[in-house]
Amino acid sequence: MSYLKATEDLYREAAITPDVGLCCTTNPIWQYPGLSVPKIMQEMNYGCGSTVSAQDLTGNPKVLYVGVGGGMELLQFAYFSRQKEGVIGVDVVDEMLEASRSNFKIAEQENPWFSSEFVKLLKGDALALPLDDQSVDVAAQNCLFNIFKEEDLRRAVSEMYRVLKPHGRLVISDPVCEIPLNDALREDDRLRALCISGSIPLSAYLKVLTDAGFGTIEVRARRLYRVLSPEHYPVEALIPIESVEVAAIKDPMPEDGPCIFTGKSAVYYGKEPHFDDGKGHVLIQNQPLAVCDKTAAALASEHPEIYISDSTWHYQGGGCC
Ligand SMILES: C[S@@+](CC[C@H](N)C(=O)[O-])C[C@H]1O[C@@H](n2cnc3c(N)ncnc32)[C@H](O)[C@@H]1O
């Protein structure tokens, strides 16, 4: 049986019998004003972060969500869009689509503003999305892509790139791991499906996004997700796994490579009122400016009177690349 089939089987079970311990997150279930997330959706939160940010949802965007789970994040996206079929949910597992459909009915009872019509559910595969080219503004997935082996991961990301409009956003949350995982872990289909053993280092994960063509990347959150210990897993030493939240924006690729924001800021502390590098970066004396890693490296190497902070891994917008 292929790992993809094993994954479908695992989530078929998790659709029929909610498993509260399956995937987990240290961040809170977002409770926007007037939003009630049904208990069953919280129990079926199989994600590892959040992909829903108000900053991505201005201008009435069409949202695609791949791998619906219990439907919680689709409800959260619908909270912002509030229109018929404003959110499209795609999942390959019939039982998961049915479970989320039934959960949306409960959400209707708890949320006077919500109608199940706000979400259109489609049967489909992340590796061959049933959507036209350039048909959505925001595409999201939470804790699915980490399950995919490299070739499938590249395919899933290129499918998201294909269906996004120019300047559209891919918002994703997944586990990553800086320590190479051994073959016993990587080839364990069940652990992979459980989002335990498919993780790759953050830099490799981001490279898959930039290789697909996304010109701007924002690393918005990075936090501890799991620890694999020799008592519980086939490992020789403790292996921490983190989860990240990343936005990949379908901007044209700059000639000198992608702009990757990881939360670095620059401060000019020289004698002049401001510093201008002639490439679009103007730093007012002793005022922080968020910069992408490429610009941070260039400023640090050429201008000693500029201080560059470490990556916070919690970039929240602003600045220039
Ligand atoms: C780890 S769960 C995450 C669910 C949801 N995103 C959340 O955060 O709770 C993975 C989801 O992807 C679905 N899935 C598995 N393989 C898929 C595939 N090849 N294409 C689309 N969806 C898939 C599963 O049915 C399940 O709903």
Side-chain angles (χ1 to χ4, degrees):
M1 183 168 58
S2 76
Y3 83 96
L4 293 171
K5 179 78 174 52
T7 301
E8 288 177 30
D9 288 349
L10 187 126
Y11 288 102
R12 186 169 298 111
E13 282 170 37
I16 295 164
T17 312
D19 181 353
V20 282
L22 172 59
C23 294
C24 63
T25 164
T26 52
N27 59 328
I29 302 292
W30 301 116
Q31 297 285 7
Y32 303 117
L35 170 67
S36 170
V37 178
K39 188 162 170 285
I40 181 82
M41 281 189 177
Q42 296 186 37
E43 289 171 356
M44 293 179 72
N45 176 14
Y46 300 145
C48 61
S50 177
T51 62
V52 188
S53 294
Q55 71 200 77
D56 301 320
L57 301 171
T58 53
N60 209 16
K62 186 82 153 175
V63 178
L64 164 69
Y65 191 94
V66 180
V68 297
M72 184 184 79
E73 291 205 302
L74 292 99
L75 175 67
Q76 292 169 330
F77 276 117
Y79 174 88
F80 290 96
S81 68
R82 301 192 185 200
Q83 58 184 291
K84 191 176 175 193
E85 300 186 354
V87 182
I88 302 166
V90 170
D91 205 292
V92 81
V93 177
D94 287 315
E95 290 78 357
M96 199 59 94
L97 290 166
E98 274 165 36
S100 64
R101 193 171 284 115
S102 141
N103 294 349
F104 291 133
K105 286 287 169 206
I106 299 169
E108 274 182 350
Q109 288 158 20
E110 296 185 17
N111 295 275
W113 56 268
F114 178 69
S115 161
S116 290
E117 286 196 334
F118 291 175
V119 179
K120 179 179 177 182
L121 291 171
L122 291 176
K123 168 92 181 252
D125 194 327
L127 305 179
L129 290 172
L131 273 89
D132 291 337
D133 294 359
Q134 303 193 7
S135 55
V136 300
D137 302 281
V138 173
Q141 75 80 28
N142 194 336
C143 226
L144 169 61
F145 284 11
N146 76 95
I147 297 171
F148 294 141
K149 294 186 178 175
E150 186 179 343
E151 198 181 319
D152 293 331
L153 173 62
R154 288 185 180 277
R155 201 157 133 201
V157 170
S158 74
E159 276 295 273
M160 293 294 223
Y161 188 87
R162 176 181 70 75
V163 302
L164 276 167
K165 295 177 190 170
H167 304 290
R169 285 155 185 244
L170 171 63
V171 280
I172 52 188
S173 176
D174 263 318
V176 293
C177 183
E178 298 307 309
I179 297 170
L181 298 176
N182 63 41
D183 287 348
L185 285 166
R186 297 198 82 76
E187 296 308 320
D188 185 319
D189 291 349
R190 186 171 167 79
L191 288 182
R192 187 174 272 277
L194 286 166
C195 305
I196 298 286
S197 65
S199 311
I200 57 176
L202 178 59
S203 57
Y205 185 82
L206 298 183
K207 186 157 188 313
V208 172
L209 299 173
T210 54
D211 284 352
F214 290 99
T216 305
I217 304 288
E218 301 178 357
V219 179
R220 293 177 171 179
R222 182 175 187 175
R223 52 175 81 85
L224 186 61
Y225 169 68
R226 298 284 170 109
V227 174
L228 306 187
S229 69
E231 287 74 31
H232 299 100
Y233 296 95
V235 295
E236 287 178 5
L238 290 182
I239 298 184
I241 301 181
E242 298 166 293
S243 71
V244 289
E245 295 170 10
V246 174
I249 301 162
K250 194 175 173 177
D251 290 336
M253 183 62 68
E255 275 179 18
D256 57 351
C259 299
I260 301 178
F261 289 90
T262 60
K264 288 183 191 285
S265 294
V267 167
Y268 167 65
Y269 58 88
K271 294 195 178 93
E272 306 301 326
H274 70 269
F275 166 88
D276 184 345
D277 73 349
K279 297 174 189 162
H281 307 112
V282 179
L283 283 80
I284 298 166
Q285 214 217 51
N286 216 15
Q287 298 287 315
L289 182 73
V291 286
C292 77
D293 287 10
K294 188 176 59 181
T295 297
L299 292 175
S301 69
E302 293 162 26
H303 304 286
E305 71 288 10
I306 292 176
Y307 179 89
I308 305 286
S309 72
D310 290 338
S311 300
T312 62
W313 308 109
H314 285 76
Y315 174 73
Q316 294 302 327
C320 46
C321 76

